[in-house]
């Protein structure tokens, strides 16, 4: 990855426990260090945290994960909404709360 890829796509599942930003930031720092060895610019590599909630019970975990990721400098988060939302309206409500968590 450090030689050819543009970044890394780590995954967090809120039901498995609280998100630890170091689980992304520490490996990403190592990947960037490795990218410098063949002459790549470390700032060209980025991470997009993927969050996969399994049920509506994990919504607070999603919001906490998004907020923690932003506090740790993780600039991109993808939240899968297929499982926690039963309707479009419900998905839009979740998106609104995710955006508020990201902006705080």
């Amino acid at each position: 990855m450090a030689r050819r890829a543009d970044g890394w796509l780590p995954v967090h599942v809120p039901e498995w426990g609280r998100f630890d930003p170091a689980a992304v930031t520490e490996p990403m720092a190592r990947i960037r260090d490795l990218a410098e060895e063949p002459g790549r610019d470390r700032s060209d590599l980025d991470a997009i945290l993927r969050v996969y909630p399994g049920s509506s019970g994990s919504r607070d975990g999603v919001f906490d994960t998004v907020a923690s990721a932003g506090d740790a400098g993780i600039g991109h988060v993808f939240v899968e909404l297929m499982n926690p939302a039963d309707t479009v309206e419900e998905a839009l409500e979740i998106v609104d709360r995710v955006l508020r968590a990201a902006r705080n």
Side-chain angles (χ1 to χ4, degrees):
M1 175 187 340
R3 290 181 181 209
R4 294 187 178 98
D6 292 328
W8 178 40
L9 302 171
V11 174
H12 176 68
V13 178
E15 287 86 358
W16 295 352
R18 189 167 179 84
F19 175 65
D20 178 5
V24 175
T25 58
E26 290 176 9
M28 196 64 216
R30 178 70 177 132
I31 291 166
R32 287 182 172 130
D33 289 344
L34 292 169
E36 287 182 327
E37 291 175 11
R40 293 190 69 188
D41 184 340
R42 66 186 292 117
S43 66
D44 288 344
L45 295 160
D46 203 359
I48 299 172
L49 176 62
R50 296 173 296 156
V51 181
Y52 288 102
S55 67
S56 61
S58 66
R59 289 182 188 172
D60 287 338
V62 171
F63 309 136
D64 291 344
T65 298
V66 171
S68 296
D71 291 344
I74 300 166
H76 304 282
V77 178
F78 170 85
V79 179
E80 171 58 62
L81 294 177
M82 185 183 326
N83 292 321
D86 293 325
T87 66
V88 171
E89 291 78 19
E90 196 174 3
L92 291 173
E93 288 175 21
I94 295 169
V95 167
D96 181 58
R97 286 194 60 195
V98 165
L99 289 173
R100 282 188 274 139
R103 292 177 178 147
N104 291 332

